[in-house]
Amino acid sequence: MDFKGIALCLSGGGFRATLFHLGVLRRLYETGLLGHIRVVSAVSGGAITAALFQQNFDRDGDFDWDAFEAKLLRSTSRGVLHHFYFSIILWISLIAFAGLNIHHSLSWAWLVTGSICLCSYIYLLRAVQKANCKCREETNHWMNFFGTSEQVSWTRYSTLLLPMIPSEMRIATLINEIYEGNSTGLLNSNPIMCLSAIDLISGKQKVFSTGVFAELSEQGAKALWNNKADDSVKEHGHLSLDTDEISFAASYDSKLVPIARAVAASTAIPPVFSQVPLFIGNKYVGSFVDGGVFDNLGVNPVVQLSYTFSSDQSDNVAKAPNSFDSFVSHILIADAGGRKKRKVKSYFLRTNLLHRVVGIMLSHQEAESERKKWLMEKLNGVSVCMFGLHVGYPSGAELSDEKWSRILPQIRTHLDPFSDEESACLIYSGYTWAEYWYQNEIRGVLDEFPNEANEESCSGLSSMLPSFSANPEDETALLEIVGRRGATDTLKRFAKSILP
């Protein structure tokens, strides 16, 4: 099979997935394959990596790897939830302050809660002002204090009220820490970026791309492929249970949508985070939650593009620059999802029930992805490879003990700070699996094109992070550190992340 290009699917899984995918991209960068990526489809934790990856491509197609890696590692070491947590602390202290005030308890408790409330509010308001300064005026939904007559009333936020909205403070953190207020219209159109989220109104999967926001359908795929919105094609949804029907376009020109809001929508894991409302111009286009609800592997956009622009779809291909199979020859699916053991237990507690339902949902998605993998291979004749974090490390890696296949999938999927040990082990897992794929799928093909691949020697675990050094022979100590998820360690890392 001739090598033409790569379609990369990055799964969800919080910062666990973000770091795993960083390892995959690092090995692709070392082998000179980043320039051959044609499509990047990502969801949830993978969307954090994919959006920053796309942001570091300039208009000439040059990629600044050092800046990309440094910013991503800094974000995972600090976390992106400190403003979110402080907003919740603000609410708790405000309720306690009001309760003490009602009971006329002018005591030390009243002073403490009032001080916490005031300090939290000032800290959050400074973060909002910093994000406002970084956003361009036309992309900043916070600059308009009272909204417009065309906007829904509950979205008319005032800047002074934003610190009390945890979901908006999470967006402020993404702007300040990672995406610098940039909009999707400023991203490079090559490769095609697809960040998935679920529309709560229509119940459909929607995709954020470079300057385009589209539903996952044939019409939406055309907009994504041609990087041009077509608002003449409509799809229907319902705002409520009554008969009121609203009409949405199959695609929108979303050049002014902030990257941080798109990533926040793709990572809004229910019920941990609330839905993310989206406005394009002054038009409300929906509220969105984590795309992993439908497709945690991020394969649906690639499947839709491969079907819409296959060689058999002559009408679509005639209107496009080329067909999918002339554009992409290899599809790489990186799965950073965990696997939980099936236990015979009572599901009386809601938390146990929720964990089990999520496990079943992810297992079903994985089985469905195997069917889609076969479909893409059959329809377009492309090579599809899928590897997962739940396997641990491939044979030949420094850490290939079977214990790692149990430890790695149990690493939390939170967006709070990750330790150097956790980060290094996750990056090394993605790195070694990308090397495995390269050696078995790509290297033989690229032997015919020696100038297109700059193969370097494969790095070890100790070189995954600048601040981390490990002795692979002492796996017991490393297993203990990575497998430990105590509350004390998490609180220490969180406290360290918010200190100046």
Side-chain angles (χ1 to χ4, degrees), residues 54 126 138 193 301 334:
Q54 194 84 357
R126 289 182 61 187
E138 61 269 24
M193 180 187 69

Side-chain angles (χ1 to χ4, degrees), residues 65 119 146 154 168 181 211 214 225 275 305 309 323 379 388:
W65 174 263
C119 292
F146 300 103
W154 52 265
E168 294 298 317
W225 191 260
Q275 72 276 8
L305 288 172
F309 294 99
S323 63
L379 182 64

